[in-house]
DNA sequence: GAGTTGCCGTTCAAATCTGAACAACCATCG
DNA sequence: CGATGGTTGTTCAGATTTGAACGGCAACTC
């Protein structure tokens, strides 16, 4: 442990901008999804992950890691999605402890319907405002942090 | 309304990296603050904003905008902080509707104690991993998005 | 100065998240 | 086989967030 190292003005500005913007964007996305499909952002992300998985199914634990949610939060949200027929649960054939969340055809249809409006928000407020250079730098930066956090 | 514009591979990678990383980092920060001071991240941010305000006090609405929280969430969290003596409430002298949240000396002391450990996390996982160029680009990018979201 | 409109912060019920505890299962080793 | 330790997903209670509704006050108009 060395001396406490504060952030200089530039670093603090960077951190504050990141923190504030991620929260604001999260809010905007939540609002759009709720209005257009009655989905929360976590629910939407679950559908996206399942749609991208082979067989449109994933183990609960994998899914939780993918969407960055706690196990119990995922159990809860998959329960909601199952109630409305967007996802089904199957016991994992290779591991009786396991549960597979499976995207239903209705889930896939809803996702196709909702995705454009969602991505339009992502474009409008983030992607389309960034230069190629900024996009590249941000991706690089985020990946470094992600990698570090996934390891620890 | 034009055609739906999907994100190309580079754009989607950028968005996914941002989304995932912000959630992972949020989790790590929450964990650190809880362990080191029993504070949640929203609570910590409230203390930070108050500490930086003139007179160490802010109107509830300003504070809510600053920390990007809903009015009711802020009411709740300020209530928690008041219970443990880190913040006090005062009625606003210039506007009887208003409430001023004021950082107490105990709140200031706790913040000084906790900030280094918190900032160490921010450094370790984000700031220290970024080149000066990445830091600059990320700040610029985040500010553009923040500005757009604050206007709408 | 009465009326109207809008802002301020709180309250409330409902939804969601958290973390610990738990039961069931897997894997390894002796 | 039997014991041990680790994993899996769920459950539960408690904490937090959300959004709408509300009462109180301010600001502006006529």
């Amino acid at each position: 442990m060395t001396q406490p190292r504060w952030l200089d003005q530039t670093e603090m500005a960077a951190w504050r901008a990141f923190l504030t913007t991620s929260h604001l964007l999260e809010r905007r996305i939540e609002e759009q999804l709720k209005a257009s499909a009655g989905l929360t952002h976590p629910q939407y992300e679950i559908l996206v992950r399942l749609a991208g998985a082979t067989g449109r199914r994933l183990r609960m634990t994998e899914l939780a890691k993918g969407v960055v949610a706690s196990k119990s939060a995922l159990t809860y949200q998959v329960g909601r999605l199952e109630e409305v027929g967007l996802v089904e649960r199957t016991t994992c054939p290779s591991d009786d402890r396991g549960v597979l969340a499976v995207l239903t055809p209705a889930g896939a249809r809803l996702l196709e319907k909702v995705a454009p409006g969602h991505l339009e928000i992502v474009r409008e407020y983030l992607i389309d405002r960034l230069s190629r250079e900024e996009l590249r730098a941000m991706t690089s930066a985020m990946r470094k942090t992600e990698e570090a956090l996934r390891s620890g």
Side-chain angles (χ1 to χ4, degrees), chain A:
Chain A
M1 293 297 150
T2 58
Q3 318 266 20
R5 292 151 62 225
W6 295 82
L7 302 183
D8 68 31
Q9 204 171 353
T10 302
E11 294 168 333
M12 188 57 93
W15 169 235
R16 290 230 156 289
F18 176 77
L19 188 59
T20 299
T21 300
S22 64
H23 288 169
L24 285 170
L25 192 48
E26 190 66 47
R27 265 172 181 290
R28 183 72 187 82
I29 286 171
E30 200 79 45
E31 174 190 14
Q32 194 277 330
L33 284 173
K34 201 90 77 180
S36 85
L39 289 175
T40 66
H41 194 195
Q43 288 168 354
Y44 176 85
E45 284 299 318
I46 289 171
L47 300 184
V48 168
R49 293 280 168 177
L50 291 179
T54 65
R56 289 179 162 176
R57 69 197 56 211
L58 281 172
R59 289 285 293 267
M60 293 296 279
T61 296
E62 279 181 277
L63 189 48
K65 283 181 187 157
V67 302
V68 189
S70 68
K71 291 181 298 174
S72 47
L74 185 65
T75 293
Y76 177 77
Q77 289 298 358
V78 167
R80 297 289 76 68
L81 292 171
E82 199 174 17
E83 281 176 359
V84 294
L86 301 174
V87 165
E88 278 176 359
R89 270 186 239 244
T90 310
T91 55
C92 179
S94 64
D95 185 341
D96 279 348
R97 295 169 302 180
V99 171
L100 286 167
V102 186
L103 189 66
T104 65
R109 278 195 301 274
L110 180 64
L111 188 55
E112 278 186 43
K113 197 191 85 180
V114 173
H118 168 72
L119 293 177
E120 189 51 39
I121 294 289
V122 176
R123 273 203 175 290
E124 178 181 353
Y125 290 102
L126 185 65
I127 301 295
D128 280 356
R129 294 181 186 272
L130 274 46
S131 68
R132 284 206 183 284
E133 170 54 20
E134 286 170 335
L135 203 68
R136 194 201 58 69
M138 189 188 77
T139 306
S140 162
M142 294 297 100
R143 280 184 173 158
K144 288 178 190 171
T145 298
E146 176 178 1
E147 216 274 312
L149 286 161
R150 296 263 192 215
S151 313

